[in-house]
Every structure is written in C-alpha cells, then in structure tokens.
Amino acid sequence: MADRKFFAGAAIRRLRRAANMTQVALADALDISPSYLNLIERNQRPLSARLLLLLADRFDFDPRQLAADEPGGGIDGISRRLADPMFDDLAIDRGEVEEWLSAAPNAAEAFVRLFDNRLTGQLGSALEIFDPIQLVRKEIERWRNHFADLDAAAEALADELRMGAADLYGAIAERLRVKHQLTIRVLPETVLPETLRRLDLHARQLQLSEMLNPASRTFQAAILLGEIEAQAEIDSLVSGAKFQDTTAQRLYRRHLSSYFAASLLMPYARFLRACEQTGYQIQVLQRRFGASFEQVAHRLTTLQRVGARGLPFFMIRIDRSGQVSKRFAGASHAALIESAHRCPLWNIHRVFDQPLEVHSQLVALEDETTWFTISRAVAGIGAGAGGYAPEFAIGLGLSAELASTLYHARGKNLSSDNAKPIGLGCAACTRVQCPQRSAPPKNRTIKFNERKTGLTPYNFVSD
C-alpha cells in the first residue's frame, strides 16, 4: 500500500491548547524541537507514526481520531464535495487537494463549512439550508457513535435487572410496572393497524404489536425504560448538540433512546468480552444477547470506550434500489459508506437473493485502502397479515489490516492483492475498462475511437 502523508496540524494544536501546554512544553514531551512542532501544527510537515503514537499515549486518545479532525474531513472529505457538478469544469484532482490542505488548511475548512451550509440570499438576508438528517448524523459521528454516559447508565441498569431475573424482557416489564406504573400489553395487528408501538398514558400501557419478534419487543420496551430513567443523560446530549431545528432535535433524541436500548440489551463490558471470545461472530452474539442481526451490527459501531475499545466497524443499511436508510461510520472513517452511490461489484447488493446467508468480501478502493466487509439481508416488520415485509441489506466492515481475528475472516486471504477493486459509484470512480460501468466519471473527458469498441461505452482520459 502506498504511503500517504498525514497532516493533522489543526487537531494537534487543539489537543495542545486543551491541555494548556505551550509549543515548547509539548515539543519537549515529544522529544522534538519547538520549530519542528510549529511546522507540524502549520501542516508544513507530516505527522510521523512515532509522533502519532507518542501523542496518543500523552493525551490518551484513539490515533484514528486525528483523521476525523483533519480540516474539512481531509482529502476524502473535500474530494467528495468537489465531486459536485458545479465543479465539473475545474477537474480538480487529489494531488491538488493534498497541496491545498498542506498549504492552507484553514481555508480548506472554511470552504467545507460554506459548502455544507449552502448559503443562499433572500431579500438581502442569508438563509442556511439544513437537512435535519444530515445534521443529526454529523452530531452522531462527532461522538463516533459512542455515548459514554448512556453506556454507563444502561450497563448499571442491566446489571441491576439481571440480579432480579434472567429474562431481560420480563425484568424490564416488571421494572416498568413496579417503579413507573406502566404495563406492557401485546395487541393483535387488527387492534394496532400500521402501528408497532404505542404509549397510552391514560391506560398506563405500552402497547406492542404482535407483529414484533421477541428481540424487537424487548428493544421497544427498553426504549421506553430509557426514555424514563435516562432522561437526564439524553436531555443533556440533546441540549449540547445545540440544534436550532426541532426535527433534528427529535431525530437525535430518538437515536439516543435507541442507543440506550441497545446498550441495555448488550451491556458494554459483557458484549465486548463476548465479541473478543467469539471473534465477533454475529450469529452467536445474536443468540447470547437475544438481539437481531441489525441490532448487533449497529452495536458493533459503538465500541469506543476509552481503555476498552472494540474493533472500529462501520455499518450501512440499503434497500434493493441502493437507497441508504442508515449509515454509521463509528471510528472507521470509511469512505465506502459516505458516497451517495455504491459500486455494484460490492456484494452487499447480492444478499437479497440469499437472505439467510452471511456474505463476506475483501474490497479495495481507489485510494488503496482495503476493507473486509460482512453483509446480510434482513426483513423489516410487515404491514400486517398478508402485508409486504420490507427488505434491507446490512453491510458491516472494517479495515482489512484489523480483520484477521474475525470469525467471518477465517481462512480468507486478506492481502491487498486478493481484494476486489471497487469504486464509490461510477460517477466518482476512475477505474478504467470496467465492464460494469454505467456512467462516465465526473471531471474526466470522454474519449472516442470510431475504429475500436472497448469493454465499456465510456472511455475517458485518465490521470
């Protein structure tokens, strides 16, 4: 794999200032000269692996965190924005982006903020156009989808419930009844048409549809318990996000309530221990914690407790048309799930035809990163008796260099030479002569040869 210079000046400067250290003090701690540290902080020198490890030890953080703190999300983050059609005529390549980040990191960050906010003028005033879903996702990724206070509260409650009963669903139901005067009632689909869960405060009932499977029933009950007993922690996180949009606030609150429920079903320390004992074998984790495949997959993206971190998985959920309904990068910083489109050569698109089988694949992106992915089809809850049950594909993945201990990677050749080359959708992919190509890449001039027909109808000028 080719070495890429890693610039993290802005992130290092924030770490130093947060610790109330001067450049001289930090340089002394790292055994380098203050002038060299100054060059690093100004992105005029890359960060070496040795210094990265020293910084991680000094400030007790995950080294991968610095990649997320690169101005504008680093080369990949800025390149994704420059793929917008408004920049098509500029043909800006990755080399230019790297030079820009090196020479003017703050200017790059300013560009990203302006691009994301999409300022528009109306009657002489500027209005910011926000997508509440993207705002919430940005806040979740700022926390790397790990909320330590919620995890701790859920873990303590899980231990308390476990002492009273081995059956978690029964223990939650009893807790709701005794402490909060709320009962759980499972009702026929005809009584709750097109509804999976309803809280009837007049009757003091949590009403659940019979269409929910056992894992989903427990999850819904856990959500309500979390909304009541972790209200202070959830309120604090929602307040700290400082959303101006009420839709974003409600979406974020819903995510945090679901996060607490997952943490209650799969308490952090026990779940991480089970992951390490089983090689992250998802089917075993499902059985051991009474959870669904999707619930386990999501939980795997949250294991970032300081001093007890799990592997940095990403997760994505798509439908048959490729539309994304969930994506969590966690601590993986994976460009694979950030793109608006995906490559059909990634086998996540094939799992719908074999819904009970877990598919694995080693893939390589154009930036030379290699990822080990795990995919499986799951069914949603139907619309009632005889109703259509929605289908989704769940994709999990992590850097191939970390995948050797996985159960699902046993017997697999994880060398980059064995990886399937894929792209981030045809418009963003510049791999030549791909027979699966459906559109030419942006920022590339199409070439024509009337005397020869290639594997693809789009031949283009490469770098």
Side-chain angles (χ1 to χ4, degrees), residues 183-196:
T183 59
I184 298 178
R185 188 176 180 188
V186 178
L187 296 175
E189 182 274 332
T190 52
V191 177
L192 290 179
E194 301 180 358
T195 301
L196 299 178

Side-chain angles (χ1 to χ4, degrees), residues 72-91:
I75 294 176
D76 291 330
I78 294 176
S79 295
R80 285 195 298 275
R81 293 168 175 87
L82 289 173
D84 190 283
M86 76 172 77
F87 305 121
D88 280 355
D89 61 316
L90 300 179

Side-chain angles (χ1 to χ4, degrees), residues 276-297:
E276 293 173 343
Q277 290 172 348
T278 64
Y280 292 77
Q281 187 176 0
I282 299 177
Q283 298 94 324
V284 174
L285 297 173
Q286 284 182 251
R287 295 288 187 271
R288 190 168 298 182
F289 293 93
S292 69
F293 186 93
E294 183 172 342
Q295 289 167 355
V296 171

Side-chain angles (χ1 to χ4, degrees), residues 438-458:
S438 300
K442 293 179 179 179
N443 305 328
R444 291 291 186 273
T445 301
I446 299 177
K447 296 193 302 184
F448 294 93
N449 188 333
E450 305 299 342
R451 298 182 180 183
K452 183 173 69 174
T453 299
L455 295 175
T456 169
Y458 302 107

